[in-house]
Amino acid sequence: MEQGGSEPVAYDAESIQVLEGLQAVRKRPAMYIGSLDGRGLHHLVHEVVDNSIDEAMVGFCKNIQVSINGDGSVTVADDGRGIPVDVHPKFGVPAAELVMSRMHAGAKFEHKLYRVSGGLHGVGLSVVTGLSEWLEARIKRDGKEWSIRFSRGEKAEDLKEIGPAEGTGTVITFKPDSQIFETIAFDFETLATRLRELAFLNKGLRIVVTDPAHAKGDVFQFQGGIAEYVKWINRAKTPLHDPPIYLTKDVNGVQIEAALQWNDG
Ligand code: 0RA
């Protein structure tokens, strides 16, 4: 645009971001993750889990396992469809690489990739890749297992087939970058509190969380959905009725769910 009256370059904002990769995220991390303290750190786990939740919301994922590992990394495993591994015709790289390392790849390269559970609209995984010392994904899909690795936002190992597989799913393990975060120590209770809420909100979904180094673990699975959630909120109070009032309705394709339970307070 500034080259003495030459034609404007035909980049739209999205194509610039696709070219940008993850160094933008590493340059201004707080812009993407909110803060670089414990809150931002735990946000990384939620960004990964939200992708598994998306799979649960469309009916493909029944189990999510979150583990705090001894080396300070975290693993998020799900039994969803697995991140697609086929080479994207336009970008010439596997879809999994785009989803994990390009800004806006999530929303841009296929409409069905729009996430529904909230958050960073498809770039969440890429942000985690950019803010991790290393990140590895293992994907089971079409009878095969695949792996790909990144280091500080750069691809360290191409997507490769590592063997046969039964079933489908995605396992993402990442170690937050101590050069970026003020703390890289995960807290079991912080993760468990959020994962419990996600299990209440996604009726029937089973979420396991473990922290073997501190001998902690929990399993969350609630067939009653948010009716069980209000009972949990009232657990230290005296409810005036049980079960809670529970209403569901589909309004033009929008699922509405409400639960109420009065207590003596
Ligand atoms: C893109 C497309 C599809 C699934 C996913 C991404 C996906 C991402 C993550 C991240 C963690 N677990 C995940 N599971 C799935 C749809 C795949 C299809 O259409 O078969």
Side-chain angles (χ1 to χ4, degrees), residues 184-225:
I184 56 165
F186 285 105
D187 174 56
F188 176 83
E189 299 304 336
T190 303
L191 292 181
T193 298
R194 177 67 187 145
L195 294 170
R196 183 186 295 108
E197 286 174 0
L198 288 170
F200 281 127
L201 291 170
N202 294 272
K203 207 186 278 193
L205 175 65
R206 185 168 182 271
I207 304 181
V208 177
V209 53
T210 63
D211 182 0
H214 297 95
K216 287 179 182 173
D218 223 327
V219 181
F220 306 123
Q221 186 174 33
F222 306 107
Q223 302 300 344

Side-chain angles (χ1 to χ4, degrees), residues 14-242:
E14 275 191 339
S15 59
I16 291 168
Q17 285 179 313
V18 165
L19 294 173
E20 205 166 43
L22 295 175
Q23 294 318 309
V25 176
R26 292 183 62 80
K27 212 164 157 184
R28 292 189 184 79
M31 210 174 100
Y32 297 88
I33 208 77
S35 64
L36 301 179
D37 53 10
R39 201 181 162 94
L41 179 79
H42 288 81
H43 203 106
L44 294 179
V45 181
H46 303 142
E47 281 304 327
V48 180
V49 169
D50 279 353
N51 286 273
S52 305
I53 294 288
D54 281 350
E55 283 293 283
M57 288 178 78
V58 290
F60 292 102
C61 168
K62 307 284 178 219
N63 294 279
I64 299 174
Q65 166 133 22
V66 177
S67 319
I68 304 174
N69 303 315
D71 63 355
S73 67
V74 162
T75 298
V76 178
D78 70 54
D79 59 354
R81 287 169 292 181
I83 306 178
V85 291
D86 52 300
V87 173
H88 188 272
K90 185 168 159 217
F91 298 105
V93 294
E97 185 180 326
L98 290 177
V99 167
M100 284 184 282
S101 67
R102 306 295 167 92
M103 299 310 289
H104 275 227
K108 192 171 165 61
F109 78 106
E110 235 179 285
H111 285 297
K112 65 182 164 189
L113 299 183
Y114 282 122
R115 65 190 306 167
V116 283
S117 65
L120 290 173
H121 305 285
V123 302
L125 260 190
S126 298
V127 170
V128 177
T129 302
L131 303 182
S132 292
E133 180 190 317
W134 55 266
L135 178 146
E136 181 197 66
R138 287 179 176 234
I139 297 160
K140 290 184 189 172
R141 214 177 142 93
D142 303 326
K144 291 170 189 151
E145 185 167 6
W146 306 77
S147 79
I148 184 168
R149 288 186 66 94
F150 298 88
S151 178
R152 300 203 154 102
E154 301 292 341
K155 190 173 57 176
E157 269 176 39
D158 278 318
L159 184 77
K160 62 172 190 274
E161 200 184 313
I162 55 173
E166 268 177 41
T168 60
T170 305
V171 181
I172 291 173
T173 303
F174 67 95
K175 172 102 187 269
D177 195 341
S178 60
Q179 295 176 359
I180 288 182
F181 289 95
E182 292 159 14
T183 168
I184 56 165
F186 285 105
D187 174 56
F188 176 83
E189 299 304 336
T190 303
L191 292 181
T193 298
R194 177 67 187 145
L195 294 170
R196 183 186 295 108
E197 286 174 0
L198 288 170
F200 281 127
L201 291 170
N202 294 272
K203 207 186 278 193
L205 175 65
R206 185 168 182 271
I207 304 181
V208 177
V209 53
T210 63
D211 182 0
H214 297 95
K216 287 179 182 173
D218 223 327
V219 181
F220 306 123
Q221 186 174 33
F222 306 107
Q223 302 300 344
I226 59 170
E228 277 192 73
Y229 187 33
V230 293
K231 288 179 75 162
W232 168 262
I233 293 167
N234 268 338
R235 69 193 179 282
K237 308 218 169 106
T238 308
L240 299 184
H241 58 96
D242 192 56

Side-chain angles (χ1 to χ4, degrees), residues 249-256:
K249 194 173 165 106
D250 182 315
V251 182
N252 301 325
V254 178
Q255 299 290 336
I256 301 192

